[in-house]
Amino acid sequence: AQTVTQSQPEMSVQEAETVTLSCTYDTSESDYYLFWYKQPPSRQMILVIRQEAYKQQNATENRFSVNFQKAAKSFSLKISDSQLGDAAMYFCAYRTIYGSSNTGKLIFGQGTTLQVKP
Amino acid sequence: KAGVTQTPRYLIKTRGQQVTLSCSPISGHRSVSWYQQTPGQGLQFLFEYFSETQRNKGNFPGRFSGRQFSNSRSEMNVSTLELGDSALYLCASSPRGRPGPYNEQFFGPGTRLTVL
């Protein structure tokens, strides 16, 4: 079974600085999807960035980028130029690509609460 | 386009009661998944529905059940509530029923269930 681990329960960053959130996962599959989701205090979960395991290039979305190390099963999220609105809980998630019965199942890490200091 | 909606947003029940939560997916989305979020266990997958059929189920007791209607709206039901069922229940919809890089899940705001 796949597992996702986020070892940093809490992180803080100064506004305008850069922070990296860590995520490791375990799987025996060769292809899969990885995601970072953001859950602000209002609780609506939104997708920040996605990575397809068969793509070697790290995904980037504006100030958000990932460092995907497939061999090490590591998937960290870097937030550049941090803003107050980035304060939230961040979840790393895994989704298999195999089997039509597994399309909706996301496996989440425990989450990292990010505090942004003005 | 309206997002995923969940009703009610807050619910208080007592042990032994049953509860039904509702989820309306984004228009055109056919897949609905449910998750339970608690401080101790984090986010755990409950089940997924596509075209009115349950396609996948997480490791939860039979007290947790769900269904999906022809308009893709979904309900989940918890019978004989226990204190440990207190949680935020999240619903997510996605356009298609098969894996794909852009078949992402869009989450609703959740229903906060408190069991006394």
Side-chain angles (χ1 to χ4, degrees), chain A residues 9-71:
Chain A
E10 296 179 354
M11 292 280 286
S12 67
V13 63
Q14 210 68 37
E15 198 176 2
E17 308 236 314
T18 296
V19 65
T20 298
L21 308 184
S22 301
C23 172
T24 58
Y25 59 93
D26 190 29
T27 184
S28 59
E29 298 175 339
S30 57
D31 283 324
Y32 41 87
Y33 301 113
L34 295 167
F35 305 86
W36 278 98
Y37 280 88
K38 170 185 176 182
Q39 188 179 40
S42 65
R43 298 177 304 174
Q44 191 110 21
M45 187 100 69
I46 57 174
L47 178 66
V48 174
I49 198 164
R50 72 167 70 79
Q51 176 78 41
E52 295 137 49
Y54 57 89
K55 289 187 177 179
Q56 294 185 347
Q57 188 172 7
N58 289 325
T60 300
E61 288 286 342
N62 301 315
R63 297 182 296 106
F64 299 88
S65 61
V66 298
N67 183 5
F68 173 51
Q69 301 287 328
K70 191 174 183 181

Side-chain angles (χ1 to χ4, degrees), chain B residues 32-111:
Chain B
V32 173
S33 297
W34 289 89
Y35 296 85
Q36 181 196 64
Q37 185 176 14
T38 60
Q41 299 298 317
L43 278 154
Q44 293 186 289
F45 173 79
L46 278 158
F47 26 64
E48 181 203 3
Y49 286 87
F50 178 76
S51 292
E52 302 177 65
T53 302
Q54 186 181 90
R55 297 181 51 159
N56 204 354
K57 190 177 194 302
N59 189 25
F60 279 83
R63 301 185 295 107
F64 291 81
S65 63
R67 59 178 176 168
Q68 187 181 34
F69 302 95
S70 58
N71 61 358
S72 294
R73 190 178 70 85
S74 177
E75 289 181 347
M76 68 163 280
N77 183 276
V78 188
S79 62
T80 320
L81 283 166
E82 300 177 0
L83 295 179
D85 297 333
S86 294
L88 180 67
Y89 290 88
L90 293 170
C91 162
S93 75
S94 56
R96 293 178 291 280
R98 62 182 184 277
Y102 301 105
N103 191 27
E104 68 176 87
Q105 295 193 8
F106 294 83
F107 284 82
T111 294

